Amino acid sequence: MNEALIRSLTPSVLAILVRRGADFAAAEDAVQDALVEAVRAWPADQPRDPKGWLVTVAWRRFLDATRADTARRRREDLADEEPAPGPAPAVDDTLQLYFLCSHPSLTPSSAVALTLRAVGGLTTRQIAEAYLVPEATMAQRISRAKRTVSAVRFDQPGDVATVLRVLYLVFNEGYSGDIDLAAEAIRLTRQLAAGIDHPEVAGLLALMLLHHARRAARTAPDGSLVPLAEQDRGRWDTGAIAEGVEILQRALARDRLGEFQAQAAIAALHADAPTAEETDWVQIVEWYDELAGLTDSPVVRLNRAVAVGEADGPRAGLAALAELTDSLPRHTAVAAYLHERDGDLETAARLYAEAAGKAPNLAERDHLTRQAARLNARLRG
């Protein structure tokens, strides 16, 4: 069975059920039942119209569940409206579903979590890791969000800023995680940019394009991570970089700076450098200062410490790092890098090994383990 096909169809099927009158939570349950049935039936006989098949099966599952719920017997008259088998409308409802999940009745954090789970395809565990909370806490948050939007209809607008935040997190998960969602996030952001004249939408699209342009160079043939400074810049997608820079310049010209434009400006400075040594770190620090003022994010300040270490020397970077809590994700890895730059190989090796134990994914853990081994070999030699 083609899992990528299933993932691409799921948001549209869910949206169709909601439009036809199913509340959000019940529709999601029905779609999940239909996916289970597809896993069982499709390997032997995949339908010619997979989307229509899923809509029909999911709608029947919804009606079955509705009939079984005595508190919702008023919905039994929907049985007469069961759609006839056949091709489903070729409409992409994914972005509309993002807005439904970003309804103003939800807090931004709950809206993001719900969208990542219901539309983005991420597991509760992955979302919990992104938010740095226990999985059980995130599961409760998502359940509450489902109940809140269960009666929301598509004509109630969601929040653009929350939709942007969701798209950004989906892109990041696809860019560096276990599920490839980056291209889908770019597609949806293009769609949003075509319909909304907003500098931060343009900033996010530029940021995605600039990051995605480097994707082919981020891993070696054996799957190991390649740090930015060591990447083969000849493998970067110059067309995507040019498009990202052009979009960013138009957004910045409107003088309505936001965090995604600031992040895109940093990515553009990296993309513009012919070599790692020619990177304009001084200007990157200035953009991180702008970004920190916009977000007050400790993660931004962590990345700024790296940039300060490059612009003003590792001691300055370590001083900036000392102002942050060491519980931040990747704090230990940054400390290891700056200590190595400062010549303290023993401390750096120990910190690389410690950071490997905290790594959020296998590729990053292996990279940090190799860094520790490399320095330990130098110390022994």
Side-chain angles (χ1 to χ4, degrees):
M1 185 185 64
N2 190 329
E3 293 185 7
L5 174 63
I6 287 287
R7 183 174 293 124
S8 68
L9 292 175
T10 299
S12 291
V13 175
L14 180 56
I16 288 170
L17 264 65
V18 172
R19 276 209 310 274
R20 285 175 176 166
D23 66 61
F24 189 91
E28 189 184 25
D29 289 342
V31 171
Q32 291 302 317
D33 287 344
L35 297 183
V36 170
E37 182 65 16
V39 170
R40 185 192 67 78
W42 285 14
D45 184 21
Q46 180 168 321
R48 274 183 283 184
D49 178 22
K51 181 177 177 180
W53 188 99
L54 285 170
V55 169
T56 299
V57 173
W59 185 251
R60 288 172 179 167
R61 293 293 188 274
F62 165 69
L63 294 179
D64 289 344
T66 299
R67 295 189 190 100
D69 188 348
T70 56
R72 298 177 182 177
R73 290 200 179 276
R74 67 183 183 280
R75 294 183 184 271
E76 288 187 344
D77 57 0
L78 295 174
D80 295 333
E81 301 176 16
E82 179 178 333
V91 177
D92 183 359
D93 299 295
T94 308
L95 192 58
Q96 195 173 25
L97 201 57
Y98 269 67
F99 273 93
L100 174 63
C101 293
S102 300
H103 192 266
S105 61
L106 296 174
T107 64
S109 60
S110 293
V112 170
L114 176 62
T115 313
L116 291 174
R117 180 70 186 92
V119 191
L122 275 65
T123 65
T124 304
R125 176 185 58 79
Q126 289 171 316
I127 302 168
E129 289 174 352
Y131 272 87
L132 308 178
V133 299
E135 184 174 349
T137 300
M138 183 54 65
Q140 292 175 354
R141 184 180 300 176
I142 293 171
S143 295
R144 285 195 299 269
K146 286 181 182 179
R147 290 194 297 270
T148 300
V149 301
S150 61
V152 171
R153 301 304 295 251
F154 273 96
D155 57 356
Q156 295 178 273
D159 178 61
V160 174
T162 302
V163 171
L164 291 179
R165 176 66 52 197
V166 172
L167 287 168
Y168 179 56
L169 289 175
V170 170
F171 175 82
N172 282 338
E173 188 63 39
Y175 190 67
S176 60
D178 300 325
I179 301 175
D180 186 357
L181 296 169
E184 174 68 357
I186 291 173
R187 183 185 72 82
L188 291 172
T189 306
R190 283 190 188 279
Q191 195 177 108
L192 186 59
I196 297 179
D197 183 20
H198 193 295
E200 273 293 82
V201 176
L204 178 59
L205 179 57
L207 176 63
M208 289 179 174
L209 290 170
L210 290 164
H211 277 314
H212 206 60
R214 302 198 301 258
R215 188 169 189 179
R218 291 185 73 247
T219 55
D222 62 359
S224 60
L225 291 180
V226 180
L228 176 61
E230 300 173 19
Q231 288 176 15
D232 178 0
R233 299 183 180 221
R235 299 184 64 195
W236 290 359
D237 184 342
T238 55
I241 291 173
E243 182 186 3
V245 169
E246 181 182 356
I247 292 170
L248 173 63
Q249 288 174 338
R250 290 201 303 267
L252 290 175
R254 301 177 64 176
D255 198 23
R256 290 169 56 193
L257 184 63
E259 61 176 294
F260 292 123
Q261 295 170 72
Q263 289 189 61
I266 293 169
L269 286 167
H270 283 297
D272 188 53
T275 65
E277 293 73 23
E278 295 173 86
T279 303
D280 188 346
W281 286 106
V282 172
Q283 194 173 168
I284 287 176
V285 171
E286 292 173 356
W287 275 111
Y288 270 122
D289 289 337
E290 293 277 3
L291 186 56
L294 290 166
T295 66
D296 195 29
S297 165
V299 175
V300 169
R301 296 187 184 281
L302 182 69
N303 292 331
R304 178 185 178 279
V306 177
V308 169
E310 299 290 351
D312 301 327
R315 295 284 176 90
L318 287 167
L321 187 64
E323 299 174 2
L324 304 171
T325 174
D326 59 7
S327 63
L328 278 172
R330 298 185 172 88
H331 183 284
T332 308
V334 170
Y337 173 75
L338 291 172
H339 276 291
E340 180 183 359
R341 286 279 319 281
D342 195 39
D344 187 352
L345 302 189
E346 185 174 347
T347 299
R350 175 178 57 78
L351 290 173
Y352 275 130
E354 183 181 332
K358 303 175 182 178
N361 56 65
L362 182 61
E364 191 169 332
R365 187 191 71 187
D366 289 346
H367 171 72
L368 293 166
T369 300
R370 282 193 295 271
Q371 296 295 88
R374 173 179 58 81
L375 292 186
N376 282 324
R378 285 181 61 184
L379 289 166
R380 287 194 299 271

